[in-house]
Amino acid sequence: MSAVTVPGEFKPGVADWSTVHEATGELGSKITSPEQWRKYQWPAERVDQFFKDGFVSNVPVLSTSQCDRLLEDYRFFMGEEQHPGMEMMYEHHSNQSHDPDNVLMHALGQWRLTRLFHDLVFLPQIVVPVSQCLGGKAVRFWHDQLFAKPAYHGGVVAWHQDYSYWTRTQPMGHMTVHIALEDQTEENGTLKYIPGSHRWTRNDGEPLPVLDFNFKDMEGIKTILTAEELAAFKPVSALLKKGEASFHHALSVHGSYGNRSAKNRRAAVLNYFADGTYSNSDEELLKGTGVIPKGSQMEGQFYPVVYDPLWTSQ
């Protein structure tokens, strides 16, 4: 792998970390041998659990101090201090609900702005298991997200399947990793899953229809479920501790209620897909990234390979 760790520039004096396609060592030592990659592989029982339930939760991936450092960078996205490269963000919503009583800060693209969030994308304890859950394929980065629910008036994220919103890339071979940077509780809006819901499809494998997000009401998805699906709708709370992650299938139904506690609930989310995924649109897939013509493979500056199983056998 390349030893280059110097980012390109978005504009004079503003680093664009998307030009660096490897970890720089900011969140841990760089991997230098196949043996080091292999130690991050999940045991078969955990991979089996992923395929059975559609998710695996409470997986330690960061230390408390690493979370604290990432939370320092969070200030750029919470309105506390403006990052000079905010134009690089794919999206940034200081309050996506537009309701002051149900606030949800949601952002995409922070990996381009800070070295810490860049290196989070490449963490071996994340990308190696993602490959296993994608059937042992090489893994490319899709995009990252931030979700912040402030104390007392944090909004909900309604029940949904991620791939319903990602059909502009095909075939489905996507995964999400949700990382708690602070403890998640029932009171502050912990992530919740519906076990087995990754098998809920329509029309020979299509995801559930897209729903308009309602940042007050979680339950809109129930209007489009079958009687069998409604009977199986039994939420499980992840209750992630600081530094723990949940890994979930692109069709796993998940969501989170609002935050009415006295503590913030901030999380970082990483989304990946299997190498070989192609564009299903002639429009720009993420703001500012340019067009990948429909039918062309997803690759290039913004979709780097983050792990290849061949690296464990070299």
Side-chain angles (χ1 to χ4, degrees):
M1 298 180 64
S2 167
V4 175
T5 58
V6 178
E9 287 191 320
F10 173 69
K11 57 186 178 182
V14 180
D16 180 359
W17 284 98
S18 70
T19 61
V20 179
H21 290 179
E22 64 173 346
T24 70
E26 189 69 12
L27 282 174
S29 300
K30 296 167 76 170
I31 297 226
T32 59
S33 70
E35 292 77 14
Q36 289 176 309
W37 284 112
R38 284 196 289 270
K39 76 177 185 178
Y40 294 105
Q41 292 176 336
W42 280 359
E45 303 79 45
R46 185 176 282 180
V47 178
D48 290 344
Q49 181 189 348
F50 173 83
F51 287 113
K52 174 180 176 290
D53 294 334
F55 67 94
V56 172
S57 63
N58 304 97
V59 180
V61 296
L62 293 173
S63 67
T64 297
S65 62
Q66 287 172 324
C67 289
D68 289 341
R69 294 181 65 207
L70 286 160
L71 287 172
E72 281 293 311
D73 277 0
Y74 228 104
R75 72 187 188 277
F76 294 127
F77 314 103
M78 296 294 291
E80 299 169 26
E81 180 180 338
Q82 187 74 25
H83 191 285
M86 287 297 287
E87 296 167 63
M88 284 189 280
M89 299 292 288
Y90 308 141
E91 293 184 35
H92 181 265
H93 309 274
S94 58
N95 181 10
Q96 197 168 13
S97 76
H98 305 292
D99 177 353
D101 294 322
N102 293 280
V103 175
L104 181 73
M105 190 286 289
H106 181 208
L108 287 79
Q110 67 273 7
W111 81 295
R112 299 182 67 183
L113 274 65
T114 84
R115 185 174 170 181
L116 281 166
F117 277 115
H118 167 272
D119 275 20
L120 188 63
V121 169
F122 296 87
L123 275 188
Q125 54 265 51
I126 291 173
V127 297
V128 174
V130 165
S131 173
Q132 292 176 278
C133 293
L134 290 175
K137 297 179 180 178
V139 178
R140 286 187 181 270
F141 179 54
W142 176 208
H143 62 73
D144 53 1
Q145 297 169 277
L146 297 175
F147 288 96
K149 302 182 180 194
Y152 301 114
H153 55 273
V156 312
V157 178
W159 296 109
H160 67 285
Q161 293 176 323
D162 287 339
Y163 190 64
S164 294
Y165 302 86
W166 295 345
T167 55
R168 62 192 187 275
T169 55
Q170 292 188 351
M172 187 189 68
H174 301 57
M175 264 196 67
T176 296
V177 182
H178 178 110
I179 306 164
L181 299 180
E182 296 164 307
D183 287 352
Q184 295 190 5
T185 66
E186 295 290 357
E187 293 73 24
N188 73 9
T190 186
L191 185 65
K192 293 175 179 281
Y193 290 106
I194 308 299
S197 57
H198 60 304
R199 290 184 282 272
W200 295 359
T201 60
R202 301 290 185 268
N203 301 323
D204 196 26
E206 293 180 7
L208 299 176
V210 168
L211 294 169
D212 290 332
F213 268 94
N214 182 328
F215 297 93
K216 298 179 183 178
D217 177 24
M218 286 277 288
E219 312 303 329
I221 196 172
K222 292 182 178 179
T223 64
I224 61 170
L225 298 182
T226 66
E228 182 180 3
E229 290 163 350
L230 284 169
F233 202 95
K234 298 176 181 179
V236 172
S237 298
L239 297 173
L240 300 172
K241 297 296 185 182
K242 185 173 184 173
E244 290 184 340
S246 285
F247 292 66
H248 68 253
H249 190 283
L251 294 180
S252 183
V253 173
H254 61 288
S256 56
Y257 287 90
N259 181 8
R260 295 298 181 265
S261 77
K263 296 181 179 180
N264 292 328
R265 201 223 76 170
R266 289 171 287 184
V269 174
L270 303 171
N271 304 297
Y272 300 94
F273 51 62
D275 189 29
T277 300
Y278 59 85
S279 168
N280 191 41
S281 174
D282 284 320
E283 298 181 0
E284 196 169 48
L285 300 172
L286 296 168
K287 183 180 76 71
T289 61
V291 172
I292 295 180
K294 186 174 181 177
S296 298
Q297 180 166 318
M298 299 288 293
E299 59 187 359
Q301 175 180 341
F302 302 104
Y303 313 105
V305 172
V306 294
Y307 176 70
D308 190 325
L310 292 176
W311 297 348
T312 65
S313 59
Q314 292 175 347

